């Protein structure tokens, strides 16, 4: 079996292993559906990314996988965090990520979220002029001064799925790049806010390098404008992330990304005589390939296709349905068998879009077999739901062959949590 760049996966006695643990043993102990995350792989991905950008700060994008144990591992590695909500901020702080290494993002933050940012002392990426004024008012009421960046819409178009392109002119994120200087000018005149950075993020699962170069040039044009027109020297330039991973085929590496953006960044900064910090916000690259979703085969049906019905669907892995994304699948208990059949892997949800993988060559599949869906660490569990009355799966963290439960399987009580029947209906 060829696992590509996934050094944490292997085969033993015809079984798939992750981080040295046999997945059949894991499902016997924890049941299915089950998310399995390899801790060593999170650490090595983080270190590989950080090593490519030795002078930069790395803010992990918490939305990719917000499990507390994952955040804790990354806090130990020295990561900061990019958070997009009050809940993500709460979890990042609880996991031990320092407030001065957290950037609070979002295109529609509530007043309560802005107040929480002021109170916890994190920086805020401001998405509009109206939000700027609102934050200034809230911070001033609290006698605080918040360090801010503006989220820029750089208008570059990465070749990725339209639902995950965030830097197009028509995108809901950020301030059009030609209006950004006016926002800084306004910020300099307001109390309670201090502009110290600039921020953008052009999309996700980007497999080409040229959009990153285009973005870096545009960001440095703005940095130059701020220095020359407003005499404002920024402390940091945050270029987000979006580096894709090889779900299939190949992908650029963090080194490729560094070779693309760093020369532009350093040349332009030194021409201006400034030394801002570069910040990056990888999510998918850090956690994407670290995890498997394990599911059990309930039925095999000959119909238009040969459908393999498993116990996990878009309730636990939305990406194939939402983004038409490709995930490798493996019959985890039959790695020593020849792939001589074609199957479509279907989830149990009452929607015809609930297909995990189409027309895959696999060994003969029977009821009771274990299907492993690969590369489910980013935007997997994080996007899960209880749709169709399905409890969410448990998650285990594997460390050098040993597994620990980091999220318990939900109960019927969890499904109904917070609901009540008004007494008049009793
Ligand atoms: C989602 C997001 C990221 C992470 O993107 P990846 O493609 O997972 O690396 C970084 N920054 C911001 C602002 C985001 O919204």
């Amino acid at each position: 079996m060829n696992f590509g760049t996934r050094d944490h996966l292997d085969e033993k006695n015809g079984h798939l292993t992750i981080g040295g643990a046999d997945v059949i043993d894991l499902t016997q102990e924890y049941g299915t559906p089950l998310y399995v995350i390899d801790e060593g792989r999170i650490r090595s991905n983080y270190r590989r990314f950080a090593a490519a950008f030795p002078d930069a700060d790395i803010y992990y994008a918490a939305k990719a996988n917000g499990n507390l144990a994952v955040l804790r591992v990354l806090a130990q590695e020295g990561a900061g965090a990019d958070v997009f909500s009050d809940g993500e901020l709460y979890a990042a702080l609880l996991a031990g990520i320092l407030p001065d290494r957290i950037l609070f993002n979002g295109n529609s933050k509530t007043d309560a979220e802005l107040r929480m940012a002021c109170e916890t002392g994190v920086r805020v990426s401001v998405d509009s002029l109206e939000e700027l004024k609102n934050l200034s008012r809230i911070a001033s009421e609290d006698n605080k001064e918040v360090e801010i960046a503006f989220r820029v819409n750089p208008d570059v178009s990465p070749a990725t799925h339209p639902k995950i392109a965030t830097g197009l002119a028509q995108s809901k994120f950020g301030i059009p790049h030609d209006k950004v200087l006016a926002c800084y000018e306004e910020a300099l005149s307001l109390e309670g806010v201090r502009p110290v950075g600039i921020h953008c993020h052009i999309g996700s699962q980007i497999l080409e390098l040229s959009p990153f170069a285009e973005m870096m040039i545009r960001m440095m044009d703005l940095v130059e404008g701020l220095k020359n027109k407003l005499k404002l020297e920024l402390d940091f330039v945050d270029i987000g992330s979006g580096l894709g991973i090889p779900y299939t085929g190949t992908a650029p590496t963090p080194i490729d990304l560094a070779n693309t953006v760093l020369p532009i960044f350093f040349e332009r900064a030194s021409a201006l005589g400034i030394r801002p910090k570069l910040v990056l916000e990888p999510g998918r690259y850090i956690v994407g390939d670290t995890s498997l979703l394990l599911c059990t085969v309930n039925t095999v049906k000959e119909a238009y296709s040969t459908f393999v019905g498993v116990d996990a669907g878009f309730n636990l892995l939305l990406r194939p349905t939402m983004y038409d994304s490709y995930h490798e699948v493996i019959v985890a208990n039959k790695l020593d068998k020849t792939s001589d059949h074609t199957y479509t892997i279907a989830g149990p949800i009452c929607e015809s879009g609930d297909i995990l993988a189409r027309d895959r060559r696999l060994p003969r599949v029977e009821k009771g077999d274990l299907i492993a869906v690969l590369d489910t660490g980013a935007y997997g569990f994080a996007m899960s739901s209880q749709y169709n009355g399905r409890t969410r799966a448990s998650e285990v963290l594997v460390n050098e062959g040993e597994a620990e439960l980091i999220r318990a399987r939900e109960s019927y009580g969890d499904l109904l949590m917070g609901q009540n029947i008004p007494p008049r209906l009793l």
Side-chain angles (χ1 to χ4, degrees):
M1 193 92 208
N2 176 10
F3 297 111
T5 55
R6 307 172 187 92
D7 303 331
H8 54 307
L9 302 186
D10 209 344
E11 172 180 352
K12 199 173 159 197
N13 306 325
H15 292 180
L16 177 63
T17 67
I18 176 168
D22 184 324
V23 300
I24 310 300
D25 297 343
L26 293 178
T27 56
Q28 272 161 10
E29 182 164 358
Y30 297 101
T32 63
L34 179 69
Y35 265 102
V36 185
I37 311 174
D38 184 42
E39 179 178 331
R41 188 68 179 180
I42 300 175
R43 292 186 190 276
S44 63
N45 285 347
Y46 180 84
R47 287 173 197 177
R48 212 176 308 107
F49 199 98
F53 295 93
D55 301 317
D57 278 346
I58 311 296
Y59 291 0
Y60 168 63
K63 74 177 187 293
N65 187 328
N67 185 290
L68 264 186
V70 171
L71 293 174
R72 180 64 198 151
V73 167
L74 287 163
Q76 284 185 347
E77 290 293 328
D82 145 36
V83 300
F84 221 84
S85 68
D86 50 352
E88 284 182 6
L89 174 57
Y90 180 79
L93 291 170
L94 196 63
I97 295 176
L98 301 175
D100 62 2
R101 296 173 64 75
I102 294 178
L103 185 67
F104 198 137
N105 287 308
N107 64 296
S108 178
K109 304 178 195 80
T110 64
D111 286 9
E113 285 177 317
L114 293 174
R115 196 160 289 118
M116 185 175 177
C118 293
E119 280 163 7
T120 54
V122 301
R123 291 179 180 144
V124 176
S125 174
V126 175
D127 198 86
S128 68
L129 208 49
E130 173 150 32
E131 184 182 85
L132 175 72
K133 290 175 187 157
N134 199 24
L135 179 60
S136 161
R137 176 183 58 81
I138 288 169
S140 306
E141 280 167 13
D142 279 9
N143 277 322
K144 293 260 166 56
E145 190 180 62
V146 185
E147 294 190 338
I148 64 160
F150 283 101
R151 168 80 179 255
V152 176
N153 181 337
D155 187 16
V156 301
S157 16
T160 187
H161 192 283
K163 282 186 189 156
I164 45 178
T166 54
L168 307 177
Q170 66 268 35
S171 161
K172 73 167 180 171
F173 298 105
I175 297 164
H177 60 96
D178 55 348
K179 297 201 164 68
V180 167
L181 253 53
C183 292
Y184 280 91
E185 205 167 5
E186 177 85 25
L188 287 169
S189 75
L190 290 176
E191 278 176 41
V193 288
R194 196 153 68 87
V196 295
I198 190 162
H199 176 221
C200 76
H201 170 69
I202 58 172
S204 205
Q205 187 54 19
I206 298 167
L207 295 172
E208 287 178 344
L209 291 163
S210 58
F212 292 111
E214 214 184 308
M215 167 276 294
M216 193 77 253
I217 292 168
R218 196 144 268 181
M219 290 296 275
M220 294 314 285
D221 288 348
L222 291 169
V223 170
E224 184 178 315
L226 291 171
K227 166 112 199 292
N228 293 344
K229 298 204 180 113
L230 301 182
K231 309 260 168 299
L232 179 61
E233 295 188 12
L234 295 179
D235 297 342
F236 74 92
V237 178
D238 182 339
I239 59 170
S241 169
L243 184 63
I245 62 166
Y247 290 104
T248 177
T250 58
T253 64
I255 302 249
D256 295 330
L257 179 61
N259 289 338
T260 303
V261 299
L262 289 184
I264 302 168
F265 175 71
F266 286 125
E267 269 167 39
R268 298 284 305 266
S270 84
L272 291 170
I274 56 173
R275 295 194 60 179
K277 188 106 183 157
L278 187 68
V279 178
L280 292 106
E281 305 173 331
R284 188 186 310 274
Y285 183 83
I286 306 298
V287 291
D289 69 7
T290 63
S291 305
L292 303 171
L293 172 59
L294 300 174
C295 37
T296 301
V297 174
N298 288 324
T299 69
V300 180
K301 176 171 70 180
E302 304 278 349
Y304 179 77
S305 306
T306 307
F307 289 104
V308 172
V310 295
D311 59 5
F314 78 60
N315 54 321
L316 292 176
L317 183 65
L318 187 57
R319 300 189 65 257
T321 303
M322 177 133 154
Y323 307 128
D324 301 313
S325 56
Y326 182 98
H327 285 266
E328 200 70 60
V329 297
I330 290 178
V331 185
N333 55 322
K334 291 183 173 169
L335 265 62
D336 49 357
K337 303 281 193 299
T338 323
S339 293
D340 50 4
H341 287 65
T342 301
Y343 295 108
T344 288
I345 313 294
I349 300 301
C350 184
E351 302 275 345
S352 35
D354 185 30
I355 301 291
L356 291 176
R358 265 180 218 284
D359 299 328
R360 302 298 176 85
R361 294 297 282 171
L362 296 170
R364 197 168 85 82
V365 173
E366 300 153 284
K367 180 172 171 59
D369 282 343
L370 187 67
I371 302 286
V373 187
L374 271 51
D375 304 326
T376 54
Y379 312 106
F381 193 102
M383 286 185 155
S384 65
S385 74
Q386 296 174 329
Y387 181 49
N388 250 187
R390 296 206 169 261
T391 54
R392 286 190 184 83
S394 31
E395 291 183 289
V396 296
L397 186 69
V398 170
N399 180 35
E400 294 174 0
E402 299 299 321
E404 288 157 299
L405 190 66
I406 56 170
R407 185 186 318 249
R409 188 173 304 286
E410 287 181 340
S411 65
Y412 296 138
D414 295 322
L415 278 185
L416 302 178
M417 190 164 53
Q419 301 184 40
N420 64 292
I421 299 175
R424 68 181 175 78
L425 296 177
L426 293 177

